[in-house]
Amino acid sequence: MSAIFITPRISIYESELELRFVRASGPGGQNVNKVSSAVELRFDAARCPSLPPEVLARLLRLAGSRASTSGVILIDARVHRQQWRNRQDAIARLVELIRRAAVPRTPRIATRPGAAAQQRRVSEKRLQGERKKARRRPETND
């Protein structure tokens, strides 16, 4: 059982990945009709013991439509003509996705605009109002 190292604290076993080989569309001539070179990788993230809960939550959010409601991530790789290259591509994409999820987002620090910026904003609003006023029909005093 070989492990795939993602970060120093996170690694997954290849046995946790379910690989299915299907026929790919696209170039390949007659070969495309008889060789299953496309790879569907399924990873049950919800049941993976090495993923901390906060990483799991970020991973499922990053995966978006590739993740099911039960926490299974599906990655489809069919770019290359060789099965082994598509397999490597699918695993590399999963590893990159988990690495991105392992990095916590830095919280945004709320800041206020400076006095000069507020002054610019107000003067720009006033100028815009004057431009619009100049476009109106002139008022007649009857």
Side-chain angles (χ1 to χ4, degrees), residues 23-129:
R23 290 192 180 139
S25 59
Q30 292 177 343
N31 200 43
V32 79
N33 298 323
K34 56 188 178 180
V35 177
S36 298
S37 59
V39 176
E40 285 181 359
L41 182 142
R42 293 174 97 74
F43 173 62
D44 196 350
R47 289 182 180 73
C48 181
S50 62
L51 287 179
E54 63 275 3
V55 174
L56 174 64
R58 284 192 297 266
L59 176 62
L60 293 176
R61 197 172 329 112
L62 278 173
S65 62
R66 292 174 289 191
S68 69
T69 54
S70 60
V72 176
I73 297 174
L74 178 70
I75 294 179
D76 190 50
R78 55 181 69 227
V79 176
H80 305 286
R81 289 188 184 191
Q82 294 92 4
Q83 188 184 82
W84 64 272
R85 288 180 75 189
N86 281 327
R87 183 180 185 279
Q88 285 179 330
D89 181 41
I91 293 171
R93 283 166 45 198
L94 176 68
V95 167
E96 181 57 33
L97 193 66
I98 298 172
R99 275 197 186 123
R100 283 181 45 210
V103 178
R105 289 178 68 183
T106 53
R108 183 187 176 278
I109 300 168
T111 59
R112 296 178 63 194
Q118 284 181 339
Q119 187 63 42
R120 279 193 304 270
R121 190 185 120 260
V122 170
S123 65
E124 185 62 37
K125 280 174 66 107
R126 190 176 295 117
L127 186 66
Q128 184 66 19

Side-chain angles (χ1 to χ4, degrees), residues 1-6 9-19 41-45 47-51 87 91 94-95 98:
M1 200 185 309
S2 62
I4 301 169
F5 295 100
I6 295 160
R9 293 180 50 224
I10 301 172
S11 62
I12 58 174
Y13 292 106
E14 281 194 28
S15 62
E16 295 178 61
L17 306 177
E18 181 186 324
L19 296 168
L41 182 142
R42 293 174 97 74
F43 173 62
D44 196 350
R47 289 182 180 73
C48 181
S50 62
L51 287 179
R87 183 180 185 279
I91 293 171
L94 176 68
V95 167
I98 298 172

